Amino acid sequence: MASIRQFQVTFDCANPERVARFWCEVLGYVVPPPPKGYADWDEFDRTLPPERRGCWFACVDPSGVGPRLFFQRVPEGKTVKNRLHLDVRVGTGLVGEERLAVLEAECARLVALGAVRVRLLPADGVNESCLVMQDVEGNEFCLD
């Protein structure tokens, strides 16, 4: 029998803290406590060499169930569609107009946080409707 492994989801980005804090708001995640001996992450960051300051940030599911999200600064910008994306499951079990209303309400909340609405993928008889979105750095995700 295979053992279950923990995993984290890693995002390449330009501004790790900004993107991490956006996803905290989207998912209800939190910033974990700083390393022992530091009052906050800013204090810890100031101990790093200048070229390493602000180069990563993380957030975690406060319930401990979801994966850790890790955000790392990379020099290149995003140029093509993600090969992997998150589906934020806000409409699970809902169909039709009720589902669309929930998706639209969450879309409005996330747009206010800096997300971009890309397009609605309407129900097609096989799949229910979902909304394609982009986070604050243009990474695609879906409201499902």
Side-chain angles (χ1 to χ4, degrees):
M1 179 186 274
S3 63
I4 296 174
R5 303 200 192 309
Q6 291 186 349
F7 67 96
Q8 74 178 10
V9 177
T10 301
F11 291 71
D12 290 349
C13 53
N15 186 330
E17 184 172 354
R18 177 178 181 236
V19 181
R21 291 192 184 279
F22 169 82
W23 282 102
C24 281
E25 291 295 323
V26 172
L27 300 174
Y29 272 41
V30 297
V31 175
K36 203 168 194 85
Y38 296 95
D40 56 36
W41 283 104
D42 287 335
E43 182 182 328
F44 172 77
D45 205 45
R46 287 190 297 274
T47 68
L48 300 174
E51 68 276 5
R52 300 294 299 155
R53 292 180 187 154
C55 72
W56 64 270
F57 211 80
C59 58
V60 296
D61 177 353
S63 72
V65 175
R68 178 178 189 246
L69 302 182
F70 185 80
F71 304 84
Q72 62 187 6
R73 185 173 59 218
V74 296
E76 69 277 357
K78 183 178 178 311
T79 57
V80 297
K81 183 181 182 296
N82 303 359
R83 297 276 312 227
L84 172 78
H85 68 268
L86 301 183
D87 286 345
V88 180
R89 309 291 312 272
V90 297
T92 303
L94 302 175
V95 298
E97 293 302 315
E98 184 180 17
R99 180 182 179 87
L100 284 174
V102 168
L103 295 177
E104 293 293 351
E106 184 65 0
C107 176
R109 183 180 82 86
L110 300 183
V111 166
L113 295 172
V116 173
R117 178 191 176 123
V118 176
R119 69 183 172 283
L120 172 68
L121 298 176
D124 61 10
V126 175
N127 298 301
E128 287 298 327
S129 299
C130 70
L131 277 168
V132 179
M133 307 280 296
Q134 291 178 338
D135 73 10
V136 294
E137 286 199 2
N139 299 301
E140 295 88 3
F141 67 97
C142 291
L143 293 181
D144 179 29

